[in-house]
Amino acid sequence: MDDTAKLFIGGSRKPDDSLNKAEYLELKFGNRHGLVTGATGTGKTVTLQVLAEGFAKAGVPVFAADIKGDLSGIAIKGEAKDFLLKRAEQIGLQDYEFEQFPVIFWDLFGEKGHRVRTTIAEMGPLLLSRLMDASEPQEGVINIAFKIADQAGLPLLDLKDFTALLNYMGENASELSSQFGLISKASVASIQRALLVLEQQGAEHFFGEPALKISDIMRTHPNTGYGQVSVLAADKLMMNPRLYATFLLWLLSELFEELPEVGDPDKPKLVFFFDEAHLLFDDAPKVLIERIEQVVRLIRSKGVGVYFVTQNPLDVPETVLAQLGNRVQHALRAYTPREQKAVKTAADTFRPNPAFDCATAITNLGTGEALVSTLEGKGAPSMVERTLIRPPSGRIGPLNDQERQSVLDKSPVLGVYDEDVDRESAFEMLAARARHAADSAAGKRAQDELQPSPPAGSGETTGWTLPGFGTDDDNDRGRAQPRRSGYQRETIVEAAMKSVTRTVATQLGRALVRGILGSLKR
């Protein structure tokens, strides 16, 4: 096989510790997903870096979460240290070179990278409910809120937009309940309290514009052709694990929604590394796990490879585990019954090798050593091999602040995401309509004082589309128009033209842009 069509992982060893053969991951199977597991300190982060470097060198963009900051070293050329050179010699890596890779740093908080944002509308009701740990009645109210926003043409961009809509729903609960189902003021109030908690945890940094464009994490370097490695600073983000997991799940669903079908490409269009993957599945409702399984299964045809990185293979549900064809298993400890079960589970997922007992080997692996099985031939898993993982070409360890800033200053998206954009959205529109409604009511009262009331049975009625959103009488006077009026369409189109993301004007468009996970109910 052509070396450019495969990614070198390391060298496998015979029972006498002599070199057996090189272990590769074929790029054409890179979108068949993968799993990297192992106890703390066994070398998972270095393996992640090796895989990221290999994909990037093959021209495949990479997105990876950096939990401890160690992965940032991929942006700097590695140093020729003795233990690295020794490992290269052990596995027969003749052309081992140190080099740096094109990196874009991202950070939800804008401290260690470019700001990453999405809008409330794109997050969708299901993921927002999960982020807020909402109860079933609360989730019902959240779904109604999105329905009202869709019908009334109210862009939901940030937390204050959603808060303003909830305030409106609470004030008009009786009228809205007759159209959309029961809206409990108690549920609205509890959601508002949950929003305050989210705000205190830093979620307000995540919602707003300019929202992340998927194309900006799928870049290749114009000179080298290497895939850009997008590194998400997640050390602070991990202080709120639910926000971390929800963000990466949203990003996965957006990739699924936006990318076209490509079948089985020669190499992936993007590789996505989900570190601390257990956070995605902890306390997740059954329907969400089913949809994660569906997305993981179907996103392969979009050319996206998803690689879960976690300590224990039991962290990943069996239905998802079955979709992961490329596996790297570092050492596990087996002191407790659960750990012993994890070892057995990991051993049973590999194609056995008669040369050694897989379960025993898992507990005896050294640092930087792993059991490796990848897809080969027509897509069947290779026989598991005990493998020394190759040394990375970039630096092992984190960048300092000055080095990180130097990378940021040369970023291809410098200045694109670093400043907030606060355009007209639900907050401003609801405030303006409230003022207009107050002015209209005052004017009508003054007019009624001067003119007699119409006789009973005259047929004059007031037609409200939604409470506070204009009347038929208002239309005649040239005041606030109904939701489908020309004025409202113009406002939405103008907003969409100004938006730097995919905010759309119609109900169908908004539903699509939320992604496959955004329209589900628990």
Side-chain angles (χ1 to χ4, degrees):
M1 181 186 295
D2 182 4
D3 285 346
T4 61
K6 53 189 179 180
L7 189 161
F8 180 55
I9 298 177
S12 61
R13 299 191 298 165
K14 298 178 181 178
D16 61 359
D17 282 347
S18 62
L19 181 65
N20 182 21
K21 63 184 180 69
E23 297 297 326
Y24 292 95
L25 190 161
E26 295 185 31
L27 288 175
K28 67 179 181 179
F29 295 126
N31 64 329
R32 299 292 182 92
H33 313 315
L35 179 69
V36 180
T37 53
T40 300
T42 57
K44 294 194 304 297
T45 302
V46 173
T47 297
L48 193 162
Q49 181 172 338
V50 165
L51 293 174
E53 289 180 357
F55 280 117
K57 200 167 184 177
V60 178
V62 173
F63 187 96
D66 189 11
I67 301 296
K68 297 173 291 186
D70 292 344
L71 190 59
S72 62
I74 195 173
I76 298 294
K77 188 176 182 179
E79 301 173 359
K81 296 183 178 181
D82 290 342
F83 74 95
L84 297 175
L85 298 175
K86 181 180 178 181
R87 174 58 61 89
E89 182 179 356
Q90 285 178 306
I91 62 176
L93 182 56
Q94 303 295 332
D95 56 348
Y96 180 40
E97 297 179 350
F98 297 96
E99 59 181 318
Q100 65 186 49
F101 293 83
V103 172
I104 301 177
F105 288 118
W106 303 93
D107 185 356
L108 260 70
F109 304 98
E111 297 174 357
K112 296 183 177 181
H114 303 293
R115 283 280 302 278
V116 181
R117 307 175 189 81
T118 187
T119 65
I120 293 286
E122 289 176 342
M123 175 63 71
L126 177 68
L127 293 185
L128 187 61
S129 298
R130 172 162 168 75
L131 182 59
M132 298 169 63
D133 196 21
S135 65
E136 189 169 341
Q138 292 167 350
E139 186 174 344
V141 172
I142 292 172
N143 275 279
I144 291 173
F146 276 77
K147 182 71 172 179
I148 291 173
D150 283 347
Q151 290 192 359
L154 298 173
L156 295 177
L157 304 182
D158 50 29
L159 286 180
K160 72 177 188 299
D161 289 328
F162 196 57
T163 300
L165 180 56
L166 289 172
N167 289 337
Y168 163 76
M169 291 172 63
E171 293 169 357
N172 299 275
S174 299
E175 297 92 334
L176 292 172
S177 293
S178 64
Q179 301 178 55
F180 298 98
L182 178 63
I183 298 175
S184 166
K185 291 185 178 181
S187 294
V188 171
S190 63
I191 295 170
Q192 290 172 321
R193 290 192 296 270
L195 285 177
L196 289 176
V197 174
L198 281 183
E199 190 172 350
Q200 292 172 352
Q201 293 175 344
E204 78 277 6
H205 298 288
F206 178 42
F207 294 111
E209 292 184 312
L212 177 66
K213 293 180 180 178
I214 296 302
S215 58
D216 281 332
I217 64 171
M218 300 186 68
R219 293 172 173 264
T220 55
H221 194 276
N223 297 328
T224 64
Y226 282 15
Q228 289 275 175
V229 182
S230 291
V231 176
L232 175 70
D235 49 349
K236 184 176 178 180
L237 184 59
M238 284 301 297
M239 300 299 291
N240 185 358
R242 190 175 292 273
L243 177 59
Y244 168 74
T246 305
F247 162 70
L248 291 184
L249 184 54
W250 162 80
L251 184 56
L252 190 60
S253 66
E254 285 295 291
L255 289 168
F256 178 86
E257 182 69 33
E258 290 202 13
L259 298 181
E261 295 279 344
V262 294
D264 290 313
D266 293 334
K267 61 183 180 181
K269 300 296 183 183
L270 175 72
V271 170
F272 183 97
F273 288 96
F274 201 134
D275 203 359
E276 299 293 339
H278 64 93
L279 298 174
L280 178 62
F281 305 103
D282 286 352
D283 301 321
K286 181 180 178 181
V287 67
L288 187 59
I289 293 178
E290 290 173 350
R291 289 298 177 168
I292 294 170
E293 176 196 351
Q294 181 186 37
V295 171
V296 170
R297 184 174 67 252
L298 298 179
I299 204 171
R300 175 183 68 81
S301 63
K302 310 274 186 167
V304 177
V306 182
Y307 287 72
F308 295 99
V309 183
T310 189
Q311 292 191 16
N312 195 321
L314 293 177
D315 295 335
V316 182
E318 290 185 7
T319 53
V320 178
L321 199 62
Q323 308 295 326
L324 312 180
N326 303 300
R327 302 192 181 187
V328 179
Q329 175 66 63
H330 287 273
L332 289 174
R333 312 308 174 205
Y335 302 121
T336 68
R338 187 175 189 275
E339 290 173 339
Q340 292 167 3
K341 181 180 179 181
V343 169
K344 184 178 186 306
T345 299
D348 290 344
T349 59
F350 286 110
R351 178 182 166 189
N353 188 330
F356 61 88
D357 179 69
C358 199
T360 302
I362 289 175
T363 60
N364 296 329
L365 294 169
T367 301
E369 187 180 19
L371 298 183
V372 174
S373 175
T374 60
L375 298 180
E376 61 181 8
K378 295 184 178 180
S382 64
M383 185 181 298
V384 63
E385 295 287 356
R386 187 167 178 168
T387 304
L388 288 174
I389 303 299
R390 65 153 291 170
S393 297
R395 178 194 292 178
I396 297 179
L399 303 186
N400 59 41
D401 292 342
Q402 184 177 358
E403 291 170 330
R404 183 183 290 268
Q405 189 59 50
S406 177
V407 174
L408 285 169
D409 290 340
K410 301 174 184 177
S411 171
V413 295
L414 180 64
V416 176
Y417 297 101
D418 302 319
E419 297 294 334
D420 290 328
V421 174
D422 188 13
R423 64 180 176 88
E424 185 184 41
S425 52
F427 176 80
E428 292 81 10
M429 295 170 70
L430 285 171
R433 289 182 178 182
R435 290 192 299 270
H436 179 75
D439 293 343
S440 297
K444 190 174 188 306
R445 284 195 300 270
Q447 187 177 21
D448 289 344
E449 292 175 359
L450 299 176
Q451 296 181 359
S453 300
S458 63
E460 292 190 20
T461 60
T462 299
W464 293 83
T465 304
L466 289 174
F469 279 78
T471 69
D472 293 336
D473 291 337
D474 288 338
N475 296 343
D476 295 336
R477 301 187 187 101
R479 291 198 283 265
Q481 301 295 314
R483 179 174 59 85
R484 289 179 291 272
S485 68
Y487 168 80
Q488 185 61 26
R489 287 197 301 269
E490 182 180 353
T491 302
I492 296 173
V493 173
E494 180 183 359
M497 292 296 290
K498 293 179 180 178
S499 174
V500 297
T501 62
R502 303 160 305 283
T503 304
V504 290
T506 65
Q507 179 180 352
L508 176 61
R510 278 187 293 270
L512 289 174
V513 90
R514 282 200 288 265
I516 187 172
L517 296 176
S519 60
L520 301 173
K521 293 186 179 179
R522 184 175 298 165

